[in-house]
Amino acid sequence: EAGVAQSPRYKIIEKRQSVAFWCNPISGHATLYWYQQILGQGPKLLIQFQNNGVVDDSQLPKDRFSAERLKGVDSTLKIQPAKLEDSAVYLCASSPPGPYTDTQYFGPGTRLTVL
Amino acid sequence: DQQVKQNSPSLSVQEGRISILNCDYTNSMFDYFLWYKKYPAEGPTFLISISSIKDKNEDGRFTVFLNKSAKHLSLHIVPSQPGDSAVYFCAARNTGTASKLTFGTGTRLQVTL
């Protein structure tokens, strides 16, 4: 079974530039998550999708971050414009159908450096 | 507000000995707890979990203990192996918020020869 795919793996941009990350979840997984992990901290949930609908985006900085999951499969997370404090690893995870699923499967992450 | 805390940023253990990683939480609405393991340049991988209705769950070398009254859980690895060297994250799920997880800051475990 293929895992969660993310691209790019690394990205370096200057502040005020835009950047987009892509995630392809495990086939059949209805729920998709985007996390931000700042160095020295645990992953923090940015947004959760159930199929193509948003379940939770309470911690997404909506003035600069946006995410979409068209057709309920893959997803993109965009930052526009980027700030220095956005430097982090952005993790995508997915979980299979059903409520209260216990396990989330993570991709390798995209390491973003904002200069 | 750090609802899940891992107060030890690092831990070093000799191969063959027991590793004990600790996690404390403040939110009494958490009903399910998980441990994830993370190697460099990889995403976290699920290791073991425990429901709040239990106080122990065991899977091979890994055992998780939950003390609800103290709002404390621990992960025991026995015997520790060099391949266990990684960062371990404790995570908790809040009752009624579907599958949203709150993570701790992680503990880096190094198993030495």
Side-chain angles (χ1 to χ4, degrees), chain A residues 9-10 31 33 35 37 40-43 45 48 55-56 58-59 91 95 100-109, chain B residues 2 31-32 34 36 38 41-46 49 89 93-106:
Chain A
R9 292 296 310 275
Y10 304 91
T31 310
Y33 314 80
Y35 288 87
Q37 186 180 10
Q41 299 181 19
L45 180 69
Q48 176 182 343
V55 174
D56 185 341
S58 57
Q59 298 190 95
L91 294 162
S95 57
Y100 301 96
T101 52
D102 300 338
T103 304
Q104 297 179 20
Y105 299 84
F106 285 83
Chain B
Q2 191 71 29
D31 67 343
Y32 202 87
L34 306 90
Y36 279 82
K38 185 182 185 303
E42 295 183 13
T45 55
F46 171 73
S49 61
F89 290 98
R93 186 188 70 194
N94 193 335
T95 304
T97 61
S99 48
K100 178 177 179 176
L101 296 179
T102 301
F103 283 83
T105 53

Coordinates of all heavy atoms in Angstrom, one line a residue, chain A residues 9-10 31 33 35 37 40-43 45 48 55-56 58-59 91 95 100-109, chain B residues 2 31-32 34 36 38 41-46 49 89 93-106:
Chain A
R9 N 9.7 18.2 -1.3 CA 10.3 17.8 0.0 C 10.9 19.0 0.7 O 10.9 19.1 1.9 CB 11.3 16.7 -0.2 CG 10.7 15.4 -0.6 CD 9.7 14.8 0.4 NE 10.3 14.8 1.8 CZ 11.1 13.8 2.2 NH1 11.3 12.8 1.5 NH2 11.5 13.9 3.5
Y10 N 11.5 19.9 -0.1 CA 12.1 21.1 0.5 C 11.8 22.3 -0.4 O 11.7 22.2 -1.6 CB 13.7 20.9 0.5 CG 14.1 19.7 1.3 CD1 14.3 18.5 0.6 CD2 14.4 19.7 2.6 CE1 14.7 17.4 1.3 CE2 14.8 18.6 3.3 CZ 14.9 17.4 2.6 OH 15.3 16.3 3.3
T31 N -10.3 11.2 5.2 CA -9.9 12.4 6.0 C -8.5 12.8 5.7 O -7.6 11.9 5.7 CB -10.1 12.1 7.5 OG1 -11.4 11.6 7.8 CG2 -10.0 13.4 8.3
Y33 N -5.4 15.8 6.7 CA -5.0 16.8 7.6 C -3.7 17.5 7.1 O -2.9 16.8 6.5 CB -4.7 16.1 9.0 CG -5.6 15.1 9.5 CD1 -5.6 13.8 9.0 CD2 -6.5 15.5 10.5 CE1 -6.5 12.9 9.5 CE2 -7.4 14.5 11.0 CZ -7.4 13.2 10.5 OH -8.2 12.3 11.0
Y35 N -0.7 19.7 8.9 CA -0.1 20.1 10.2 C 1.1 21.0 9.9 O 1.8 20.9 8.9 CB 0.4 18.9 11.0 CG -0.6 18.0 11.6 CD1 -1.2 17.0 10.9 CD2 -1.0 18.2 12.9 CE1 -2.1 16.2 11.5 CE2 -1.9 17.4 13.5 CZ -2.5 16.4 12.8 OH -3.4 15.6 13.4
Q37 N 4.7 21.9 11.7 CA 5.6 21.6 12.8 C 6.8 22.5 12.8 O 7.7 22.4 12.0 CB 6.1 20.1 12.7 CG 6.9 19.7 13.9 CD 7.4 18.3 13.9 OE1 7.3 17.6 12.9 NE2 7.9 17.8 15.0
G40 N 11.4 22.1 17.2 CA 11.3 22.0 18.7 C 9.9 21.8 19.2 O 9.7 21.8 20.4
Q41 N 8.9 21.8 18.3 CA 7.5 21.7 18.8 C 6.9 20.5 18.1 O 7.4 19.9 17.2 CB 6.8 23.0 18.4 CG 7.3 24.2 19.0 CD 6.5 25.5 18.6 OE1 5.3 25.3 18.2 NE2 7.0 26.6 18.8
G42 N 5.7 20.1 18.7 CA 5.0 19.0 18.1 C 4.1 19.5 16.9 O 4.0 20.8 16.7
P43 N 3.6 18.6 16.1 CA 2.8 19.1 15.0 C 1.5 19.8 15.5 O 0.9 19.4 16.5 CB 2.4 17.7 14.3 CG 3.5 16.8 14.7 CD 3.9 17.2 16.1
L45 N -2.2 21.1 14.2 CA -3.2 21.0 13.1 C -3.6 22.3 12.5 O -3.9 23.2 13.3 CB -4.5 20.3 13.6 CG -5.6 20.1 12.6 CD1 -5.2 19.0 11.6 CD2 -6.9 19.6 13.3
Q48 N -8.4 20.3 8.7 CA -8.8 18.9 8.5 C -10.0 18.9 7.5 O -11.0 19.6 7.6 CB -9.3 18.3 9.9 CG -9.9 16.9 9.8 CD -10.3 16.4 11.1 OE1 -10.0 17.0 12.2 NE2 -11.1 15.4 11.1
V55 N -13.6 20.2 8.0 CA -14.1 19.9 9.3 C -13.6 20.8 10.4 O -14.4 21.2 11.3 CB -13.7 18.4 9.7 CG1 -14.1 18.1 11.1 CG2 -14.3 17.4 8.7
D56 N -12.4 21.2 10.3 CA -11.8 22.1 11.3 C -10.7 22.9 10.7 O -9.7 22.3 10.1 CB -11.2 21.2 12.4 CG -10.7 22.1 13.6 OD1 -10.4 23.3 13.5 OD2 -10.5 21.5 14.7
S58 N -9.8 25.9 12.5 CA -9.7 26.9 13.5 C -8.3 27.5 13.8 O -8.2 28.6 14.3 CB -10.3 26.4 14.9 OG -9.6 25.2 15.3
Q59 N -7.3 26.7 13.5 CA -5.9 27.2 13.7 C -5.2 27.5 12.4 O -4.0 27.7 12.4 CB -5.1 26.1 14.4 CG -5.7 25.8 15.8 CD -4.8 25.0 16.7 OE1 -4.0 25.5 17.5 NE2 -4.9 23.7 16.5
L91 N 3.3 19.0 7.3 CA 3.0 17.5 7.3 C 1.6 17.3 6.8 O 0.7 18.0 7.3 CB 3.2 16.9 8.6 CG 4.6 16.8 9.2 CD1 4.5 16.6 10.7 CD2 5.4 15.7 8.5
S95 N -6.5 9.5 7.2 CA -7.0 8.4 8.0 C -8.2 7.8 7.2 O -8.8 8.5 6.4 CB -7.4 8.9 9.4 OG -8.3 9.9 9.3
Y100 N -14.1 9.0 14.4 CA -13.1 8.7 15.5 C -12.1 7.7 15.1 O -11.8 6.8 15.9 CB -13.9 8.2 16.7 CG -14.9 9.3 17.2 CD1 -16.2 9.2 16.8 CD2 -14.5 10.4 18.0 CE1 -17.1 10.1 17.2 CE2 -15.4 11.3 18.4 CZ -16.7 11.2 18.0 OH -17.6 12.2 18.4
T101 N -11.6 7.8 13.9 CA -10.5 6.9 13.5 C -9.3 7.1 14.4 O -8.9 8.3 14.7 CB -10.1 7.1 12.0 OG1 -9.9 8.5 11.8 CG2 -11.3 6.7 11.2
D102 N -8.7 6.1 14.7 CA -7.6 6.1 15.7 C -6.3 6.5 15.2 O -5.5 7.1 15.9 CB -7.5 4.7 16.4 CG -8.7 4.3 17.1 OD1 -9.6 5.2 17.4 OD2 -8.9 3.1 17.3
T103 N -6.0 6.2 14.0 CA -4.6 6.4 13.5 C -4.6 7.3 12.3 O -5.3 7.1 11.4 CB -4.0 5.0 13.1 OG1 -4.1 4.1 14.3 CG2 -2.6 5.1 12.7
Q104 N -3.6 8.2 12.3 CA -3.4 9.0 11.2 C -2.0 8.6 10.6 O -1.1 8.4 11.3 CB -3.3 10.5 11.6 CG -4.7 11.0 12.2 CD -4.6 12.5 12.6 OE1 -3.7 13.2 12.2 NE2 -5.6 12.9 13.4
Y105 N -2.0 8.6 9.3 CA -0.8 8.2 8.5 C -0.2 9.4 7.9 O -0.8 10.1 7.2 CB -1.1 7.1 7.5 CG -1.7 5.9 8.0 CD1 -3.1 5.8 8.3 CD2 -0.9 4.8 8.3 CE1 -3.7 4.6 8.8 CE2 -1.5 3.6 8.8 CZ -2.8 3.6 9.1 OH -3.4 2.4 9.6
F106 N 1.1 9.6 8.3 CA 1.7 10.9 7.9 C 2.6 10.7 6.6 O 3.2 9.7 6.4 CB 2.6 11.4 9.0 CG 1.8 12.1 10.1 CD1 1.3 11.3 11.1 CD2 1.7 13.4 10.1 CE1 0.5 11.9 12.1 CE2 1.0 14.0 11.2 CZ 0.4 13.3 12.2
G107 N 2.7 11.8 5.8 CA 3.7 11.8 4.8 C 5.0 12.3 5.3 O 5.1 12.6 6.5
P108 N 6.0 12.4 4.4 CA 7.4 12.8 4.9 C 7.5 14.2 5.2 O 8.5 14.6 5.8 CB 8.2 12.4 3.7 CG 7.3 12.5 2.5 CD 6.0 12.1 3.0
G109 N 6.6 15.1 4.7 CA 6.6 16.5 5.0 C 7.3 17.3 4.0 O 8.1 16.8 3.2
Chain B
Q2 N -0.3 24.8 26.4 CA 0.2 23.5 26.0 C -0.6 22.4 26.8 O -0.4 22.2 28.0 CB 1.7 23.4 26.4 CG 2.4 22.2 25.8 CD 2.6 22.3 24.3 OE1 2.7 23.4 23.7 NE2 2.7 21.2 23.6
D31 N -9.8 11.6 25.5 CA -10.3 10.2 25.7 C -9.5 9.1 25.1 O -9.7 7.9 25.2 CB -11.7 10.1 25.3 CG -11.9 10.2 23.8 OD1 -11.0 10.7 23.1 OD2 -13.0 9.8 23.3
Y32 N -8.5 9.5 24.3 CA -7.7 8.6 23.6 C -6.3 9.1 23.4 O -6.1 10.3 23.1 CB -8.3 8.3 22.2 CG -7.9 7.0 21.6 CD1 -8.6 5.8 21.9 CD2 -6.8 6.9 20.7 CE1 -8.2 4.6 21.4 CE2 -6.5 5.7 20.2 CZ -7.2 4.5 20.5 OH -6.8 3.3 20.0
L34 N -2.2 8.5 22.0 CA -1.3 7.8 21.0 C 0.1 8.2 21.2 O 0.4 9.3 21.6 CB -1.8 8.1 19.6 CG -3.2 7.9 19.2 CD1 -4.1 9.2 19.5 CD2 -3.4 7.5 17.7
Y36 N 3.6 8.4 18.8 CA 4.1 8.4 17.4 C 5.6 8.5 17.5 O 6.2 9.1 18.4 CB 3.6 9.6 16.6 CG 2.3 9.4 16.0 CD1 1.1 9.7 16.8 CD2 2.1 9.0 14.7 CE1 -0.2 9.5 16.2 CE2 0.8 8.9 14.1 CZ -0.3 9.1 14.9 OH -1.5 8.9 14.4
K38 N 9.2 9.3 15.3 CA 9.6 10.0 14.1 C 11.1 10.0 13.9 O 11.9 10.3 14.8 CB 9.2 11.5 14.2 CG 9.5 12.3 12.9 CD 9.1 13.8 13.1 CE 9.3 14.5 11.8 NZ 10.7 14.5 11.3
A41 N 13.8 13.4 8.7 CA 13.3 13.5 7.3 C 12.2 12.6 7.0 O 11.9 12.3 5.8 CB 14.5 13.3 6.4
E42 N 11.5 12.1 8.0 CA 10.3 11.2 7.7 C 9.2 11.8 8.5 O 9.3 12.5 9.5 CB 10.6 9.8 8.1 CG 11.6 9.1 7.3 CD 11.8 7.6 7.7 OE1 10.9 7.1 8.4 OE2 12.8 7.0 7.3
G43 N 7.9 11.4 8.1 CA 6.8 11.8 8.9 C 6.6 10.9 10.1 O 7.2 9.8 10.2
P44 N 5.9 11.3 11.1 CA 5.6 10.5 12.3 C 4.9 9.2 11.9 O 4.1 9.2 11.0 CB 4.7 11.4 13.2 CG 4.9 12.8 12.7 CD 5.2 12.7 11.3
T45 N 5.2 8.1 12.6 CA 4.5 6.8 12.3 C 3.9 6.4 13.7 O 4.5 6.5 14.7 CB 5.5 5.8 11.8 OG1 6.6 5.6 12.7 CG2 6.0 6.1 10.5
F46 N 2.7 5.9 13.5 CA 2.0 5.4 14.7 C 2.7 4.3 15.4 O 3.2 3.3 14.7 CB 0.6 5.0 14.3 CG -0.2 4.3 15.3 CD1 -0.7 5.0 16.4 CD2 -0.4 2.9 15.3 CE1 -1.4 4.4 17.4 CE2 -1.1 2.3 16.3 CZ -1.6 3.0 17.3
S49 N -1.4 2.9 21.1 CA -2.4 3.8 21.6 C -3.0 3.2 22.8 O -2.9 2.0 23.1 CB -3.4 4.1 20.5 OG -4.1 3.0 20.1
F89 N 6.6 11.3 20.0 CA 5.5 12.3 20.3 C 4.3 11.6 21.0 O 3.9 10.6 20.5 CB 5.0 13.0 19.0 CG 6.0 13.9 18.4 CD1 6.8 13.5 17.3 CD2 6.2 15.2 18.8 CE1 7.7 14.3 16.7 CE2 7.1 16.0 18.3 CZ 7.9 15.6 17.2
R93 N -6.5 12.8 21.9 CA -7.7 13.1 21.1 C -8.8 13.6 22.1 O -9.0 13.0 23.1 CB -8.2 11.9 20.4 CG -9.4 12.1 19.4 CD -9.9 10.8 18.9 NE -10.6 10.1 19.9 CZ -11.0 8.8 19.8 NH1 -10.6 8.1 18.6 NH2 -11.6 8.1 20.7
N94 N -9.5 14.6 21.7 CA -10.5 15.2 22.5 C -11.9 14.6 22.2 O -12.3 14.5 21.1 CB -10.5 16.7 22.2 CG -11.3 17.5 23.3 OD1 -12.2 16.9 23.9 ND2 -11.0 18.7 23.5
T95 N -12.6 14.2 23.2 CA -13.9 13.6 23.1 C -14.8 14.6 22.3 O -14.8 15.8 22.6 CB -14.6 13.4 24.5 OG1 -13.7 12.6 25.2 CG2 -15.9 12.8 24.3
G96 N -15.4 14.1 21.3 CA -16.4 14.9 20.5 C -15.8 15.8 19.4 O -16.5 16.5 18.8
T97 N -14.5 15.7 19.2 CA -13.9 16.5 18.2 C -13.3 15.6 17.1 O -12.3 15.9 16.5 CB -12.7 17.4 18.7 OG1 -11.7 16.6 19.3 CG2 -13.2 18.4 19.7
A98 N -14.1 14.6 16.8 CA -13.7 13.6 15.8 C -12.3 13.1 16.0 O -11.9 12.7 17.1 CB -13.9 14.2 14.4
S99 N -11.5 13.2 15.0 CA -10.1 12.6 15.1 C -9.0 13.7 15.3 O -7.9 13.4 15.1 CB -9.8 11.8 13.9 OG -10.2 12.5 12.7
K100 N -9.4 14.9 15.8 CA -8.4 15.9 16.0 C -7.4 15.5 17.1 O -7.8 15.1 18.1 CB -9.0 17.2 16.3 CG -8.0 18.4 16.6 CD -8.8 19.7 16.9 CE -7.8 20.8 17.2 NZ -8.5 22.1 17.4
L101 N -6.1 15.6 16.8 CA -5.1 15.2 17.7 C -4.3 16.5 18.2 O -4.0 17.4 17.4 CB -4.1 14.2 17.1 CG -4.6 12.9 16.7 CD1 -3.5 12.0 16.1 CD2 -5.2 12.2 17.9
T102 N -4.0 16.5 19.5 CA -3.1 17.5 20.0 C -1.8 16.8 20.4 O -1.8 15.8 21.2 CB -3.7 18.2 21.3 OG1 -5.0 18.8 20.9 CG2 -2.8 19.2 21.8
F103 N -0.7 17.3 19.9 CA 0.6 16.7 20.1 C 1.4 17.4 21.2 O 1.3 18.6 21.4 CB 1.4 16.7 18.8 CG 1.0 15.7 17.8 CD1 -0.1 16.0 16.9 CD2 1.7 14.5 17.6 CE1 -0.5 15.1 16.0 CE2 1.3 13.6 16.7 CZ 0.2 13.9 15.9
G104 N 2.3 16.6 21.8 CA 3.3 17.2 22.7 C 4.5 17.6 21.9 O 4.5 17.5 20.7
T105 N 5.5 18.1 22.6 CA 6.7 18.7 21.9 C 7.7 17.6 21.5 O 8.7 17.9 20.8 CB 7.3 19.7 22.7 OG1 7.6 19.2 24.0 CG2 6.4 21.0 22.9
G106 N 7.5 16.4 22.0 CA 8.4 15.3 21.6 C 9.6 15.1 22.6 O 10.0 16.0 23.3

